[in-house]
Amino acid sequence: MTRVSDLEKGGLRSRRAFFFVACAGRGFITPIRLLLRLGLNPDATVLNGLTALMMAARNGRTNLVRLLLDRGAQVDASDEDGFTALMMAARNGHPDILGALLDRGAQVDAGTRDGMTALLLATVNGHTDVVRLLLDRGARVDARTRDGMTPLLWATARDQTEVVRALLARCTDADAKQAVFETASAVAARDGLTRSVRMLLSSADPN
C-alpha cells in the first residue's frame, strides 16, 4: 500500500512542476534557477505533457530557453498532441528562439499527431521571417498535414503574399512547379484570382 508520505511527496513534486512551468511562461528566471538547484527535473511536465521549455519557447523567453537547454532540457520533448518547443515558437513568431533550438539539434520537420510542422504553423500564422528561417534550416516545403494541406496551400488560401513568395523561391524542380499550379487552381476555384493565386500562376508552368 502506498504510504501517505509518498502521496504527499508526489503532490509536492506536482506543485513544484506546475510552479516551474508557470514561471517559465512568465519569464521568472530566479525561481527557475532555484528549482533546478533543488534538483527539479528540467523536463517536468504538467497538464497534457507541457514542459517549461515549451512554455518559455511559446512566450518568447529567449534567455530561459537557453538556460533550460544548458541544464539538460530535451529539445524535442513533445506534449500529448505532438507539439514541441520548436513548433510553439514557430506558431507564435519567435525567430531567435527557433535559432537557439535548431542550434541544439531540434528536428525541423517534426510533426504533430495531425501532421503540423513548425513550417506549417509559421505559415498558418503569417510569420514570414520564421518561414524564411525554417526554410534556410532545411524545412520541407512540401510538408503535408493529415488532411493534405501544404504550406503553399495555406499561404495561398490566406492570401499571404510574402509567405507565398518565400515558399515559391524553394519550388524549383518540375514536380514542385506542378504542385504550385495545382495549388493555384484549387484556391482559384474557391476564392477567385487573389494576389497570391496570380503570383502562383505567373511562376508555374502547367506544361
Side-chain angles (χ1 to χ4, degrees):
M1 180 178 293
T2 303
R3 295 177 300 174
V4 172
S5 58
D6 291 336
L7 292 173
E8 289 173 343
K9 289 177 182 177
L12 177 60
R13 285 194 296 270
S14 178
R15 290 193 295 273
R16 282 183 176 177
F18 185 86
F19 181 66
F20 183 66
V21 172
C23 285
R26 298 292 297 275
F28 297 156
I29 197 164
T30 299
I32 292 289
R33 290 183 186 277
L34 174 61
L35 287 167
L36 289 170
R37 281 201 300 269
L38 290 173
L40 187 67
N41 183 349
D43 292 317
T45 62
V46 297
L47 301 175
N48 68 336
L50 194 67
T51 67
L53 181 63
M54 294 175 201
M55 280 293 288
R58 186 179 78 176
N59 292 353
R61 313 298 183 184
T62 308
N63 289 340
L64 265 175
V65 166
R66 293 196 173 104
L67 171 64
L68 290 163
L69 291 171
D70 288 342
R71 297 300 179 86
Q74 297 298 306
V75 70
D76 281 325
S78 62
D79 66 14
E80 292 178 358
D81 294 318
F83 283 88
T84 65
L86 187 79
M87 295 176 200
M88 294 182 181
R91 180 175 60 190
N92 288 354
H94 301 306
D96 290 345
I97 290 176
L98 266 83
L101 294 168
L102 290 166
D103 287 344
R104 297 298 186 95
Q107 296 182 42
V108 71
D109 285 321
T112 67
R113 292 165 64 179
D114 293 328
M116 294 295 288
T117 65
L119 180 60
L120 280 158
L121 288 162
T123 299
V124 168
N125 290 283
H127 300 309
T128 308
D129 54 344
V130 173
V131 168
R132 290 193 179 110
L133 185 155
L134 289 167
L135 291 170
D136 288 342
R137 300 297 288 266
R140 289 183 54 186
V141 72
D142 60 347
R144 288 181 180 270
T145 63
R146 288 179 63 182
D147 57 2
M149 294 295 288
T150 65
L152 193 60
L153 188 52
W154 273 114
T156 306
R158 292 174 177 239
D159 203 21
Q160 296 167 337
T161 55
E162 290 306 309
V163 175
V164 169
R165 187 173 286 111
L167 294 168
L168 281 177
R170 306 304 171 105
C171 297
T172 55
D173 60 29
D175 288 342
K177 289 288 187 181
Q178 181 62 27
V180 167
F181 180 74
E182 291 171 357
T183 296
S185 300
V187 177
R190 189 191 71 181
D191 298 334
L193 292 177
T194 64
R195 291 178 301 165
S196 294
V197 169
R198 290 191 181 95
M199 189 182 301
L200 264 63
L201 289 173
S202 67
S203 70
D205 179 6
N207 300 315

